[in-house]
């Protein structure tokens, strides 16, 4: 579609365009609205400014002719020779702030708008945000406010900028992009004027995108009462042994299946699917070439949930086998997790159907991961800091059940307060964003592969600046997710996410200063001590105490001094760090017992050998603690 045709197309959606005239390549140019702009219309030219295909500031028809001649010469110097298919367009000059709007049909998120600062340096500055076509006003504004150019609204240097103009033009492009078969478009500049936005330079690529359809789930992945473990074994080095052993703590009906065994852990072992009673869930840990036949048998037996632990599928180049399993899942409407996964865990049933550690504490975090190895490491880290989980889902290759399904499945689980996701890749971004918007629980996301950029043809600025990670980060943030930059934050941060102010009580100035930097860099604020609090502290602390936050109660502090300080300053609305360094007179275990009863106090015992009894005490009672300062950033 030629530029002037795009203008007419935009007008049909109520989007303003400048006055213009089109001329054949051999016709004389004339115009009656100056200053004017001259541009070349040619399939041979991708970006006009790169080859001299645009002239601005033209004030008369004489200058128009001169600009035309100069443009032809410039194009020829760049190896572009015009013919009868090419045209010139002359249009009025529109003055105002240059913005940009583009659209790209992304493989994951489908129709996505990019909006922000326009002009010739757009690909260098990249001051743009990403907006889903399903975004409502609040989400649009949340995304737009991440840009630098948004700071000119509502006033900048004595000029008023109306945010309603932004919302109006974005809604029009959302409607256009959803209704029309467009794969990519680029409006640069989109000029802000006193009467709204005007699209000055436009390109569009049409085509019929291949849209995804989300599978409607019939069953709850955690509706597990009767479970069969295929590949349960007495060989301790096999995953089937670990899963079978971990499953025994649950009160669910567990059946082991292995044709070569008669019993395992004093339980009968079944030889085949046919011999089993009715089951709702199957765990498969057998060689990959046997999996498809078993899945088909289980589907015919009306099994609702299948978790395929076995590896040797897409990750090994065996994509065809995986696709056949997906077809069975779709045909029978069942849930399939994996293959190549670690399994699932449900604290409400004490049900551990993984081959990870059995040291998993019950808690309120649902942890979802594609990588089994990453999940194992996070579980180990969480256990060492007394952090528990309500649910765990290892999704592996995500042949069927994905992040969207997991977020939706967890909505009716009362034990789950937070949904934490480690993602390597998404499959259905539109539905994932919808699930985040609708989620009653906060969704935390850590996405790997941040440096990868989408490989797109250089059709427009949009294709050049729409990177995979930045798109995911912006869209998910606007939809309501919390994006994390450190993977360990997935287990630490949810507990204290809602605290804005921090109080630090310490017996050493150095650690207090370091912790202050960590707190402020995270975006949280240090609590300002009230006048009456300072006066009360003066009565119980040495004269040399810090008189501010961090509250340095001096190195010779014992448990008595910590307790008196907390009695004055404790506030359930504050996140409180109690820092203890080992001194000769420090009765550390007594201090630990004082802070242990407070849910919003994080004890930081900065040491190792002197605090062994303290750490044992915290672990026994399931209390989160730290013995260093560096990892504290993960809870902020």
């Amino acid at each position: 579609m030629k530029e002037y045709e795009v203008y007419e197309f935009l007008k049909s959606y109520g989007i303003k365009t400048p006055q213009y005239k089109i001329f054949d390549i051999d016709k004389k140019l004339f115009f009656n609205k100056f200053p004017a702009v001259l541009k070349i219309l040619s399939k041979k030219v991708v970006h006009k400014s790169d080859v001299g295909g645009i002239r601005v500031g033209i004030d008369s028809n004489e200058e128009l002719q001169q600009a035309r001649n100069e443009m032809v010469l410039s194009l020829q110097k760049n190896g572009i020779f015009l013919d009868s298919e090419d045209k010139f367009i002359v249009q009025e000059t529109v003055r105002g702030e240059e913005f940009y709007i583009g659209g790209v049909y992304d493989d994951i998120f489908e129709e996505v708008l990019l909006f922000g600062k326009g002009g010739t340096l757009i690909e260098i500055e990249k001051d743009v945000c990403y907006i889903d076509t399903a975004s409502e006003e609040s989400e649009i504004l949340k995304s737009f406010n991440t840009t630098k150019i948004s700071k000119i609204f509502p006033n900048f240097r004595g000029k008023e900028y109306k945010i309603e103009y932004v919302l109006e033009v974005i809604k029009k492009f959302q409607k256009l992009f959803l209704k029309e078969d467009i794969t990519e478009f680029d409006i640069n500049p989109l000029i802000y004027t006193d009467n709204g936005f005007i699209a000055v330079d436009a390109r569009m690529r049409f085509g019929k995108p291949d849209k995804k359809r989300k599978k409607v789930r019939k069953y709850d992945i955690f509706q597990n009462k009767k479970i069969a473990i295929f590949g349960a074994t007495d060989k301790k080095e096999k995953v089937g042994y670990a899963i079978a052993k971990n499953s025994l703590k649950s009160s669910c009906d567990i059946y082991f299946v292995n044709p070569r065994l008669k019993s395992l852990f004093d339980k009968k072992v079944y030889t085949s699917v046919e011999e089993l009673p009715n089951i709702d869930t199957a765990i498969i840990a057998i060689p990959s070439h046997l999996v498809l036949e078993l899945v088909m048998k289980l589907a015919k037996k009306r099994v609702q949930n299948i978790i395929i632990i076995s590896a040797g599928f897409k990750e090994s180049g065996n994509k065809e086998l995986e696709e056949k399993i997906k077809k069975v899942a779709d045909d029978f409407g069942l849930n399939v997790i994996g293959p190549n996964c670690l399994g699932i865990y449900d604290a409400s049933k004490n049900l551990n159907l993984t081959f990870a550690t059995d040291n998993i504490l019950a808690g309120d975090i649902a942890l979802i991961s594609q990588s089994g190895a990453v999940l194992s490491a996070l579980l180990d880290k969480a256990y060492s800091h007394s952090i528990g989980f309500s649910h765990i889902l290892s999704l592996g290759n995500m042949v069927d059940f994905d992040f969207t399904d997991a977020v939706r499945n967890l909505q009716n689980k009362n034990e789950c307060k937070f949904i934490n996701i480690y993602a390597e890749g998404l499959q259905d971004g539109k539905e994932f964003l919808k699930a985040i918007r609708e989620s009653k629980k906060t969704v935390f996301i850590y996405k790997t592969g941040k440096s990868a950029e989408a490989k797109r043809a250089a059709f427009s600025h949009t294709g050049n600046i729409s990177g995979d990670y930045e798109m995911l980060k912006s869209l998910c943030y606007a939809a309501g997710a919390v994006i994390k930059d450190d993977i360990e934050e997935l287990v630490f941060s949810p507990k204290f996410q809602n605290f804005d102010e921090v109080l630090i009580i310490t017996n050493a100035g150095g650690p207090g200063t370091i912790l202050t930097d960590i707190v402020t860099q995270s975006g949280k604020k240090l609590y300002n001590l009230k006048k009456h609090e300072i006066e009360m502290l003066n009565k119980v602390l040495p004269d040399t105490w810090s008189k501010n936050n961090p509250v340095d109660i001096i190195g010779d502090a014992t448990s008595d001094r910590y307790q008196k300080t907390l009695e004055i300053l404790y506030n359930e609305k504050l996140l409180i760090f109690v820092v203890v360094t080992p001194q000769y007179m420090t009765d550390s275990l007594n201090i630990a017992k004082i802070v242990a009863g407070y849910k919003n106090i994080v004890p930081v015992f900065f040491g190792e050998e002197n605090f062994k009894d303290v750490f044992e005490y915290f672990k026994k009672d399931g209390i989160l603690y730290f013995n260093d300062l560096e990892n504290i950033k993960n809870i902020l």
Side-chain angles (χ1 to χ4, degrees):
M1 184 179 280
K2 298 181 176 64
E3 185 171 347
Y4 64 89
E5 294 173 327
V6 175
Y7 283 160
E8 296 305 312
F9 179 70
L10 293 176
K11 286 179 183 178
S12 69
Y13 282 89
I15 298 165
K16 298 174 184 177
T17 62
Q19 293 184 32
Y20 68 90
K21 290 191 74 172
I22 307 298
F23 297 91
D24 290 333
I25 209 70
D26 56 349
K27 298 296 183 181
K28 183 178 180 179
L29 307 183
F30 64 92
F31 202 55
N32 59 4
K33 193 173 181 65
F34 294 99
V37 178
L38 174 66
K39 294 186 284 188
I40 187 63
L41 299 179
S42 173
K43 292 181 180 179
K44 308 178 188 73
V45 178
V46 177
H47 296 308
K48 302 178 185 68
S49 58
D50 293 344
V51 293
I54 183 170
R55 289 289 188 276
V56 300
I58 300 170
D59 292 319
S60 67
N61 281 309
E62 289 75 17
E63 289 184 19
L64 190 59
Q65 301 305 320
Q66 183 180 350
R68 167 190 170 161
N69 295 335
E70 292 173 353
M71 183 178 294
V72 171
L73 288 174
S74 179
L75 292 170
Q76 289 174 352
K77 287 180 180 178
N78 283 278
I80 300 169
F81 296 89
L82 304 177
D83 55 41
S84 58
E85 292 186 0
D86 301 317
K87 296 181 183 295
F88 289 108
I89 179 171
V90 184
Q91 66 188 48
E92 65 172 313
T93 298
V94 179
R95 301 190 187 282
E97 186 69 40
E98 290 189 345
F99 279 76
Y100 157 86
I101 192 166
V104 62
Y105 190 88
D106 182 72
D107 291 340
I108 305 299
F109 290 100
E110 300 184 359
E111 301 94 348
V112 178
L113 297 178
L114 286 77
F115 183 75
K117 181 73 175 74
T120 57
L121 297 179
I122 181 173
E123 291 177 23
I124 296 175
E125 295 175 342
K126 294 184 180 180
D127 184 27
V128 298
C129 65
Y130 299 81
I131 300 170
D132 182 39
T133 45
S135 297
E136 299 290 343
E137 285 191 4
S138 60
E139 194 171 323
I140 293 171
L141 291 175
K142 187 176 181 181
S143 186
F144 179 52
N145 286 336
T146 64
T147 65
K148 296 177 183 176
I149 191 64
S150 68
K151 306 305 182 288
I152 70 173
F153 292 82
N155 294 285
F156 183 69
R157 292 187 175 179
K159 179 176 174 59
E160 180 185 12
Y161 290 88
K162 296 182 179 180
I163 196 66
E164 53 264 36
Y165 287 169
V166 171
L167 294 170
E168 178 185 35
V169 76
I170 288 175
K171 287 178 183 178
K172 288 177 179 178
F173 276 102
Q174 284 178 316
K175 182 179 179 181
L176 177 153
F177 205 4
L178 283 174
K179 190 172 182 180
E180 304 291 339
D181 290 333
I182 299 172
T183 57
E184 199 169 328
F185 71 84
D186 188 294
I187 313 293
N188 185 33
L190 178 71
I191 304 291
Y192 179 94
T193 74
D194 291 339
N195 297 313
F197 282 94
I198 298 178
V200 173
D201 200 348
R203 291 173 58 82
M204 285 194 175
R205 176 179 282 172
F206 287 81
K208 194 168 183 63
D210 184 19
K211 295 195 175 186
K212 302 177 180 68
R213 289 187 178 181
K214 185 63 182 170
K215 177 178 176 179
V216 178
R217 296 288 163 187
K218 297 180 181 178
Y219 308 115
D220 184 339
I221 196 67
F222 291 106
Q223 188 62 39
N224 322 114
K225 295 182 179 178
K226 298 179 180 295
I227 303 152
I229 301 174
F230 292 84
T233 178
D234 56 354
K235 296 180 180 179
K236 294 183 179 181
E237 71 276 11
K238 299 290 187 180
V239 298
Y241 178 89
I243 297 170
K245 186 177 180 181
N246 284 343
S247 71
L248 294 174
K249 293 181 180 179
S250 173
S251 59
C252 298
D253 293 332
I254 305 292
Y255 306 100
F256 298 149
V257 185
N258 187 325
R260 76 169 186 84
L261 292 179
K262 291 186 177 180
S263 67
L264 179 64
F265 300 122
D266 297 324
K267 288 174 66 70
K268 174 184 176 180
V269 177
Y270 294 79
T271 60
S272 66
V273 176
E274 291 77 14
E275 189 184 354
L276 281 171
N278 289 332
I279 60 172
D280 51 54
T281 301
I283 311 297
I284 298 178
I286 62 176
S288 59
H289 67 278
L290 301 174
V291 171
L292 177 60
E293 181 182 0
L294 176 56
V295 169
M296 293 177 69
K297 289 181 180 180
L298 291 168
K300 292 175 182 177
K301 197 177 175 68
R302 299 186 181 279
V303 173
Q304 299 173 8
N305 303 307
I306 298 177
I307 294 94
I308 304 175
I309 308 294
S310 313
F313 293 86
K314 181 171 63 179
E315 81 285 357
S316 302
N318 200 351
K319 187 177 180 181
E320 183 180 354
L321 180 56
E322 203 165 290
E323 289 175 345
K324 289 179 180 179
I325 292 173
K326 177 173 175 54
K327 188 175 187 309
V328 176
D330 291 341
D331 289 347
F332 286 86
L334 49 84
N335 298 326
V336 174
I337 286 184
N340 187 31
C341 75
L342 198 70
I344 68 172
Y345 166 87
D346 182 351
S348 68
K349 304 186 189 79
N350 197 19
L351 179 62
N352 185 354
L353 297 175
T354 78
F355 62 94
T357 174
D358 61 350
N359 291 329
I360 302 177
L361 300 175
D364 55 12
I365 299 172
L367 185 59
I368 309 163
S369 173
Q370 277 177 276
S371 167
V374 169
L375 182 58
S376 292
L378 291 176
L379 293 179
D380 187 59
K381 174 70 73 171
Y383 184 75
S384 69
H385 286 82
S386 304
I387 296 172
F389 300 93
S390 62
H391 302 83
I392 294 168
L393 278 164
S394 171
L395 299 183
N397 294 0
M398 295 200 304
V399 65
D400 173 58
F401 200 91
D402 61 16
F403 292 119
T404 302
D405 299 312
V407 171
R408 287 175 173 161
N409 205 129
L410 289 162
Q411 292 306 305
N412 63 349
K413 303 292 184 279
N414 294 330
E415 317 87 59
C416 169
K417 305 299 181 187
F418 310 98
I419 301 174
N420 295 10
I421 295 174
Y422 168 81
E424 294 174 350
L426 294 178
Q427 295 177 339
D428 192 343
K430 271 279 191 283
E431 286 295 322
F432 184 57
L433 294 176
K434 186 178 179 182
I436 293 172
R437 289 186 196 105
E438 296 172 350
S439 178
K440 295 174 288 186
K441 304 154 196 287
T442 305
V443 178
F444 296 80
I445 301 172
Y446 175 87
K447 170 69 168 66
T448 189
K450 299 176 184 179
S451 61
E453 288 193 352
K455 300 290 187 291
R456 308 185 193 282
F459 168 75
S460 70
H461 297 292
T462 309
N464 286 329
I465 64 177
S466 55
D468 286 342
Y469 176 69
E470 289 305 319
M471 182 182 290
L472 179 144
K473 178 180 177 180
S474 182
L475 292 174
C476 292
Y477 164 76
V482 178
I483 309 300
K484 291 299 179 183
D485 295 322
D486 189 305
I487 191 170
E488 291 188 355
E489 293 180 57
L490 289 180
V491 295
F492 287 116
S493 62
K495 188 171 183 179
F496 304 106
Q497 189 66 29
N498 296 326
F499 289 95
D500 296 321
E501 292 187 293
V502 174
L503 171 66
I504 301 170
I505 301 173
T506 177
N507 68 344
T513 302
I514 296 171
L515 189 50
T516 296
D517 288 339
I518 294 172
V519 167
T520 54
Q521 288 168 10
S522 75
K524 293 189 184 295
K525 299 177 182 178
L526 280 183
Y527 171 72
N528 287 320
L529 298 182
K530 305 292 190 296
K531 182 179 178 180
H532 74 275
E533 291 172 332
I534 294 174
E535 291 173 352
M536 292 174 69
L537 289 170
N538 283 335
K539 297 177 181 178
V540 298
L541 297 180
D543 292 340
T544 53
W545 79 279
S546 61
K547 308 294 193 298
N548 59 22
N549 184 15
V551 181
D552 184 355
I553 61 176
I554 312 305
D556 62 352
T558 62
S559 56
D560 179 64
R561 195 179 295 171
Y562 275 97
Q563 184 166 5
K564 288 178 178 177
T565 302
L566 278 172
E567 287 172 353
I568 294 170
L569 295 180
Y570 179 75
N571 185 333
E572 63 182 9
K573 295 181 180 180
L574 299 177
L575 173 56
I576 303 173
F577 290 102
V578 172
V579 182
V580 183
T581 61
Q583 314 295 338
Y584 180 80
M585 67 291 299
T586 306
D587 52 339
S588 54
L589 187 57
N590 288 334
I591 298 171
K593 290 178 180 179
I594 289 170
V595 301
Y598 299 93
K599 291 184 178 180
N600 59 323
I601 291 181
V602 178
V604 183
F605 281 69
F606 195 26
E608 196 69 52
E609 189 67 27
N610 287 289
F611 295 143
K612 284 186 175 180
D613 57 341
V614 171
F615 300 152
E616 289 177 7
Y617 169 76
F618 285 146
K619 286 181 179 179
K620 182 180 178 181
D621 280 26
I623 297 168
L624 172 66
Y625 72 93
F626 289 91
N627 64 347
D628 62 17
L629 298 172
E630 179 62 25
N631 282 313
I632 290 175
K633 68 180 186 297
N634 293 322
I635 72 171
L636 296 171

